[in-house]
Amino acid sequence: MEKSKVYFVKDITPENMIKMYEALDVKLSGKIAVKVHSGEVGNQNFIRPHFMKPIIDYVQGTIVECNTAYEGKRNTTKEHWETMKLHGWCDIAEVDIMDENGEISLPVKDGFHLKENFVGKNIENYDSMLVLTHFKGHPMGGFGGALKNISIGIASSHGKAHIHGAGVPENIWTADHDSFLESMADASQTIVDYFKENIVFINVMCNMSVDCDCCAKAEDPAIGDIGILCSLDPVALDQACLDLVYASNDPGRNHLLERIESRNGVHTVEAAAKLNIGSREYELIDLDK
């Protein structure tokens, strides 16, 4: 079986974002959703709109996000719109908060815990998706990569609680931890199934704090920037990013790895592979060579 291809460039530039998309030799068609992380108000590490603008313009996409399920400035549509405007997303492209008009249910096939995944209703308006992910640590998931961006990131506010609670929203902060990670894999499956071959993933390994962009007060990064990676396979992509952290000789890597390992972060990737969302086996293609 052919290994999934993951492409890599070291220099983190807007131009290289387009280069990575082109390397995949796939042209997303129709109305294109571009999933980003809007960044919690106060967070210093999220990737800014001006960096994302060229690739969003290149595909003529619409920025999409969904409301959060915790206290902050993105947990209601009104406040989320205010945050999108404050952070400058509305200045660079059309923006859609996908659960502003409610949610729909997508079926999970033979999942670990979930039977369905609740996502923003406006996903129905899109034919393709470009997933732009800031790879970094995460307080609960260990790390945030492509799989988190299409599971928690595309879930409605209620859907986020449903995933965190492993199918029981009321258990949002108390569910068994590995069950939460497996539920992210369950939810990821529904998005990959929904868009089929019309979804592309790009991970940017910069500003890699142990904390997510959802944290209003995040730690500063201890590890240096690594590069940009892309793939049609989100499992291979996240695995490649993890492998690059392990392979780094930056002394700050241990701080990030402690966060990833203490939360059993790799288990999300393991679970997604078991659901056949993608493969942990990949070929890393360095476009700098």
Side-chain angles (χ1 to χ4, degrees):
M1 185 176 176
E2 187 177 357
K3 293 181 179 180
S4 296
K5 290 181 170 61
V6 179
Y7 295 89
F8 171 83
V9 292
K10 183 178 181 181
D11 289 338
I12 301 173
T13 66
E15 294 76 19
N16 275 343
M17 294 288 282
I18 295 172
K19 179 179 179 179
M20 298 304 274
Y21 175 76
E22 291 178 333
L24 294 170
D25 198 27
V26 171
K27 183 173 175 57
L28 296 176
S29 60
K31 188 168 177 60
I32 300 170
V34 181
K35 178 64 179 72
V36 302
H37 195 302
S38 49
E40 189 58 61
V41 174
N43 184 278
Q44 75 275 33
N45 297 319
F46 76 93
I47 298 177
R48 300 307 196 263
H50 65 81
F51 177 86
M52 298 295 202
K53 178 175 169 44
I55 182 64
I56 295 170
D57 287 348
Y58 187 77
V59 301
Q60 297 181 309
T62 299
I63 294 167
V64 300
E65 258 284 33
C66 284
N67 293 322
T68 61
Y70 55 84
E71 292 295 320
K73 296 295 184 181
R74 299 183 300 133
N75 65 340
T76 67
T77 297
K78 178 180 181 294
E79 289 200 298
H80 205 162
W81 271 117
E82 291 172 357
T83 298
M84 290 302 238
K85 292 171 183 174
L86 175 68
H87 285 169
W89 294 108
C90 296
D91 296 333
I92 68 160
E94 182 182 351
V95 172
D96 181 4
I97 296 175
M98 290 196 295
D99 58 338
E100 180 172 17
N101 299 310
E103 63 186 19
I104 62 168
S105 169
L106 300 179
V108 177
K109 300 173 185 174
D110 301 318
F112 289 95
H113 305 282
L114 306 185
K115 302 298 183 185
E116 55 187 336
N117 179 35
F118 300 98
V119 302
K121 185 179 189 304
N122 291 356
I123 196 172
E124 296 177 317
N125 298 333
Y126 300 96
D127 306 295
S128 305
M129 178 169 280
L130 173 60
V131 184
L132 303 181
T133 302
H134 176 205
F135 184 91
K136 68 284 181 189
H138 191 276
M140 289 190 69
F143 77 94
L147 292 167
K148 177 183 176 294
N149 205 5
I150 61 171
S151 57
I152 293 290
I154 295 175
S156 64
S157 181
H158 159 247
K160 287 175 171 62
H162 184 251
I163 295 168
H164 270 280
V168 184
E170 295 76 19
N171 294 346
I172 180 171
W173 306 126
T174 58
D176 171 73
H177 185 71
D178 280 0
S179 296
F180 154 58
L181 301 178
E182 291 159 0
S183 295
M184 281 203 288
D186 287 346
S188 296
Q189 178 205 77
T190 69
I191 303 303
V192 172
D193 283 352
Y194 186 85
F195 286 108
K196 297 182 172 60
E197 69 276 5
N198 300 312
I199 187 167
V200 167
F201 304 89
I202 301 177
N203 282 9
V204 186
M205 299 185 74
C206 70
N207 302 346
M208 289 180 286
S209 168
V210 296
D211 292 324
C212 180
D213 298 343
C214 58
C215 300
K217 294 182 179 179
E219 271 197 38
D220 288 332
I223 185 174
D225 297 347
I226 291 179
I228 306 172
L229 294 87
C230 70
S231 184
L232 301 177
D233 180 342
V235 179
L237 181 58
D238 279 357
Q239 184 65 58
C241 289
L242 290 172
D243 290 343
L244 284 174
V245 175
Y246 275 100
S248 172
N249 58 11
D250 188 314
R253 72 186 266 280
N254 292 336
H255 189 49
L256 180 56
L257 286 176
E258 190 281 330
R259 172 59 57 89
I260 294 169
E261 292 176 351
S262 66
R263 306 317 197 259
N264 197 22
V266 72
H267 191 54
T268 304
V269 180
E270 294 170 341
K274 286 181 179 178
L275 292 176
N276 296 315
I277 296 168
S279 172
R280 297 179 70 191
E281 300 293 321
Y282 61 91
E283 176 189 3
L284 187 65
I285 302 168
D286 189 341
L287 298 181
D288 292 325
K289 295 181 178 178

